[in-house]
Amino acid sequence: MSRKECIPSHIAIIMDGNGRWARQRGLIRIRGHEKGTESVREITRECAKKHLKQLTLYAFSSENWKRPKREVNLLMKLLKEYLIKERKEIEENNIRLTAIGRINELPEDVQRELTISMEESKNNTGMVLCLALNYGGRTEIVDAAKEIMRKVKEGKLRLDEITEETFREHMYMPDMPDPDLLIRTGGEMRISNFLLWEVSYAELWVTPVYWPDFRKTHLEEAIRDYANRERRFGGLIE
Ligand code: FPP
């Protein structure tokens, strides 16, 4: 790998372990999510400084609605506050904010703040910060398949024209580069329905560190580990 290739273009993160972080300290779970917001801030800033093309954060999965209503409400409140508070930081770091997932099912006030943040940052030319919100990888593939089928039905697309590229074009964010590195905090060895289509060739890096404790040094450790790997994409290296 050349020097430039050593830094992944796109890092995706499953931010896990907030609840356990809080429990370890005898605190309620939401305190872990609150503290996790500090990690979001530091890691976003560091990734922007390293000139990544994209950072995608799994902030709320389509399965997270199953949590107690109180926790869901507090997570939504936290998200809304984050969107409002972080506008200045996003602007200063030339970040463009986007989101993937069934956004239209989020509470209206969260949708409103999200729209404002996306609109305000749309001309920024630095890193893309993509928040996966009410996101599920299988749902994304189903949504893409439905849209493709609709086009076939309407005669806009022929069955024999459908390729992997067609699917990519119908994902929530068609122009996103596939993640090169998928980081999971909190130690579990699972993908948890995250970016199923997009992580096909991503390098995985799992750390036992809980998300609220995840800092620049851990990020750099993950990037160093990535840089030492040989990516073959199913082929052979001469
Ligand atoms: C998983 O930890 C984490 C979440 C479900 C939410 C992630 C949210 C944040 C980091 C804060 C808000 C996000 C933004 C972008 C401002 P868990 O609760 O499953 O932890 P556990 O496995 O230890 O119980």
Side-chain angles (χ1 to χ4, degrees), residues 14-23 29 32-40 57-61 64 67 71 75 78-83 129 131 133 184-186 188 190 210-212:
I14 302 177
M15 309 181 286
D16 199 17
N18 294 352
R20 279 166 285 167
W21 181 93
R23 196 170 58 224
R29 293 177 55 80
H33 298 314
E34 280 168 5
K35 188 76 184 165
T37 309
E38 290 176 23
S39 310
V40 169
L57 301 176
Y58 206 4
F60 193 86
S61 80
N64 286 153
R67 295 185 176 211
E71 184 173 341
L75 270 170
L78 204 57
L79 190 61
K80 184 178 157 186
E81 284 169 3
Y82 164 83
L83 288 167
L129 171 62
L131 299 181
L133 296 169
R184 180 168 187 143
T185 61
E188 313 277 2
R190 282 194 291 273
Y210 295 147
W211 178 248

Side-chain angles (χ1 to χ4, degrees), residues 168-227:
R168 179 185 299 283
E169 285 162 10
H170 290 82
M171 292 290 151
Y172 292 141
M173 202 181 149
D175 56 349
M176 95 151 125
D178 282 346
D180 303 292
L181 174 61
L182 173 63
I183 296 176
R184 180 168 187 143
T185 61
E188 313 277 2
M189 301 284 184
R190 282 194 291 273
I191 302 290
S192 298
N193 204 16
F194 189 39
L195 300 174
L196 291 184
W197 177 272
E198 296 86 347
V199 296
S200 294
Y201 290 102
E203 296 292 324
L204 307 181
W205 193 79
V206 178
T207 172
V209 173
Y210 295 147
W211 178 248
D213 286 331
F214 193 83
R215 288 290 173 272
K216 180 182 173 201
T217 48
H218 305 108
L219 175 75
E220 287 176 342
E221 194 188 332
I223 294 177
R224 259 198 315 278
D225 192 73
Y226 167 87

Side-chain angles (χ1 to χ4, degrees), residues 45-79:
R45 192 184 299 151
E46 284 309 315
C47 287
K49 269 203 222 154
K50 291 184 193 304
H51 302 291
L52 255 74
K53 280 208 173 77
Q54 182 162 336
L55 171 67
T56 302
L57 301 176
Y58 206 4
F60 193 86
S61 80
S62 43
E63 287 76 30
N64 286 153
W65 297 110
K66 292 182 207 148
R67 295 185 176 211
K69 200 164 172 351
R70 189 178 137 77
E71 184 173 341
V72 170
N73 289 344
L74 285 167
L75 270 170
M76 289 300 148
K77 185 167 168 271
L78 204 57
L79 190 61

